[in-house]
Amino acid sequence: RSIMKIEELVVELSKKPFDPTLNFNVAVEYERLNQTASAVSFYLRTAEYSQTANDPLVYASLLKMAHCFNDQNDRLHTVSNCLLQAIAYWPERPEGYFLLAQFHERLSQWQEAYTYAEIGLHQGSYPQLPTDVGYYGTYCLEFEKAVSAYWVGRKAESIDLLNKLASMDIAAEYKASVLHNLDRIKNATV
């Protein structure tokens, strides 16, 4: 079924090669097939061919390009650059800040993670993007802030945020991480 879908999309795209939506749909399908190099190419075409300011497809494409590059080894600068381009393109949206906070958290760059989470929490609320980028609401940013707060010397703030998150109705994987981190931080001697 997926091969047929990509073939149909490519045929349709051959008739309208500069259509940002078609390029985006092709990119999403290539990414789903784990063909990240092809996906990046079509995400880039989406960004290049859009004629609209604050186009959710362009913003989502830049975020998804970062995701594709993240799956490749030794592409940290490229991942960071894609996320920064997304933020520069639409600085009022929270998703880019969340992904940058998450990026820095994974590298144990705690102050950067904390800072981007904090900035993201001050952004507006927008309709969901046309594809999943891993951001499910402000609680994602609050989680990044809570985890990094501990490592930048804000243990009490971290515990307060984690307790708040523990009482919320959030995605199961986040709930498990919240409880794990809360237990770990409460029992830490540092």
Side-chain angles (χ1 to χ4, degrees):
R1 172 70 187 128
S2 0
I3 299 297
M4 185 58 121
K5 183 170 184 172
I6 194 68
E7 288 174 357
E8 292 169 3
L9 283 169
V10 170
V11 167
E12 193 174 341
L13 185 63
S14 71
K15 298 172 188 170
K16 297 189 262 181
F18 302 108
D19 183 320
T21 303
L22 278 174
N23 278 283
F24 183 79
N25 292 338
V26 170
V28 168
E29 190 60 24
Y30 272 126
E31 184 179 6
R32 199 179 69 66
L33 295 169
N34 292 319
Q35 295 183 21
T36 57
S38 295
V40 165
S41 172
F42 287 97
Y43 283 132
L44 187 57
R45 288 169 56 104
T46 302
E48 289 173 348
Y49 296 150
S50 175
Q51 302 296 315
T52 309
N54 293 342
D55 184 346
L57 291 178
V58 172
Y59 184 73
S61 290
L62 293 167
L63 298 176
K64 294 298 275 183
M65 284 171 53
H67 182 261
C68 289
F69 284 123
N70 194 53
D71 289 345
Q72 301 170 10
N73 292 330
D74 299 322
R75 300 301 300 260
L76 295 178
H77 178 73
T78 306
V79 171
S80 175
N81 190 46
C82 289
L83 295 173
L84 290 170
Q85 285 183 40
I87 287 172
Y89 177 75
W90 202 337
E92 298 84 10
R93 286 197 72 117
E95 298 91 349
Y97 297 101
F98 162 69
L99 292 172
L100 260 175
Q102 192 177 59
F103 172 79
H104 287 291
E105 181 217 339
R106 288 180 179 148
L107 296 173
S108 299
Q109 296 171 339
W110 305 111
Q111 186 59 59
E112 291 86 344
Y114 182 89
T115 301
Y116 282 117
E118 180 66 22
I119 293 169
L121 285 167
H122 288 85
Q123 304 314 306
S125 179
Y126 289 86
Q128 193 171 5
L129 291 171
T131 188
D132 181 10
V133 296
Y135 179 78
Y136 309 112
T138 55
Y139 74 85
C140 295
L141 284 158
E142 289 171 343
F143 176 77
E144 291 301 323
K145 182 178 177 182
V147 170
S148 56
Y150 172 77
W151 294 101
V152 297
R154 298 174 181 229
K155 181 178 179 179
E157 179 183 7
S158 178
I159 291 171
D160 288 345
L161 285 167
L162 289 168
N163 278 324
K164 174 187 170 192
L165 290 166
S167 69
M168 294 171 63
D169 182 23
I170 58 179
E173 66 268 15
Y174 271 90
K175 182 70 87 167
S177 291
V178 164
L179 296 175
H180 170 76
N181 278 284
L182 192 53
D183 183 55
R184 183 183 54 79
I185 290 170
K186 282 183 176 178
N187 294 318
T189 56
V190 177

